[in-house]
Amino acid sequence: NKIYMKPLLFLFIPLLLFVACKGNSGRENPLADLDKSSEAVMEEFLCLDSIDAFGVNDFAVTDSVLWFLFQRPGSEDVLAQYRLGDNSCKSVIKRGRGPGEMITTTSLDANGHIVIADCNTNAMASVVRNDATFRQLPSGGLVSCITDGNRVISTGLYPEGRYRLINLESGQVGYFGEYPQGERKIGDELLPTAYINSKLAMKPDCSRFVCVNSNCGIIEINAIAGDSIRSIARIAYHYPDIVGTRSGKMAVAAIRKSNVNGFFDVTCSDEYIYTIYSGKTYNEAGLGLESCDHLVTFDWSGNLIEAFHVSQALGAIQYDNSQGLLYGLAHTPTRSLIYRLNLDR
């Protein structure tokens, strides 16, 4: 079993080896047998090629406005806005190193305002009334972040804890939570890179948030109380099995090509958590392992509600709380589309 490295953000961060959950067999792990899942109804909502929106990696839908995130280096824009009413498209943040520009960013946080952060400069941009306002965050290996306007919660290369919480008014910074550990313990120096590929989503009422990781089948639900974070539930269907290696002077976690990948995106309503799940290995799918054929829903206690199969593999999902609708982004060999998803049976 050879290991492989995948570049992410400013480091060459490896993915992780997919292993069985502690004591779980395929029969006991519901994520290991999704072939009998119900079929989600997918309604084509917007063809991105038809509006010349190429290379979209993430998106958000708020009423009649769509937001597109372009994370690939060749794109001129980082963030763009598209209005359905008049079919107008506007660049909001350009790619670059100048004032008001970004290069490598977190995924979109669409809980209230549209928010992204630059992973290298630690600058956070909030879009209000179509204009971006920038704020500098404390230094650190920022990878994903969410905010309620007063507090910013992030994951990154944090040896101090799983999550970092910043109070924007007081400037107070705290670290909370432990990195997940399975039967095969991961060394402390490897833990931050072992869980680097994490994504966050905040409950619309801002009382809780969820964290998933694309390299393993772990979902973590936490409560936010003041300037602290408290664990509510951690459901571990399978832990990463990593191999320690070095990138320059830094110890990093490397994985094997037999890794079965996990949750690639997460979004939520006040009632449910929606995730997309890969279940693919690099050996089987190559870079196509990021295309997810299943959508898995949970409640805010961590109970698995139902799993669905999607006829077009999804790369990102977004719940529009203003309309109560779920959307998914799919890239096919010929087109890129946003679908409206109906999970009613």
Side-chain angles (χ1 to χ4, degrees), residues 144-146 151-154 164-165 200 202 209 224 229:
S144 62
C145 76
I146 51 176
R151 299 162 295 185
V152 177
I153 297 169
S154 61
R164 183 178 73 177
L165 187 150
L200 303 171
M202 186 178 290
F209 71 93
I224 312 166
I229 296 171

Side-chain angles (χ1 to χ4, degrees), residues 51-53 56 64-70 75-84 86-95 114 126-133:
I51 59 170
D52 296 329
V56 174
S64 60
V65 178
L66 278 77
W67 302 86
F68 300 137
L69 182 68
F70 306 88
S75 171
E76 180 181 345
D77 295 320
V78 169
L79 180 66
Q81 177 200 79
Y82 177 76
R83 291 188 172 275
L84 291 170
D86 57 9
N87 297 321
S88 63
C89 194
K90 174 187 176 182
S91 176
V92 179
I93 299 176
K94 293 288 187 182
R95 186 176 308 281
I114 300 296
S126 301
V127 182
V128 181
R129 297 186 180 90
N130 306 330
D131 294 317
T133 301

Side-chain angles (χ1 to χ4, degrees), residues 254-274:
I255 63 160
R256 305 181 193 279
K257 292 183 178 180
S258 56
N259 173 48
V260 180
N261 290 269
F263 301 105
F264 273 83
D265 203 6
V266 61
T267 187
C268 58
S269 66
D270 274 323
E271 188 174 7
Y272 295 116
I273 296 166
Y274 304 91

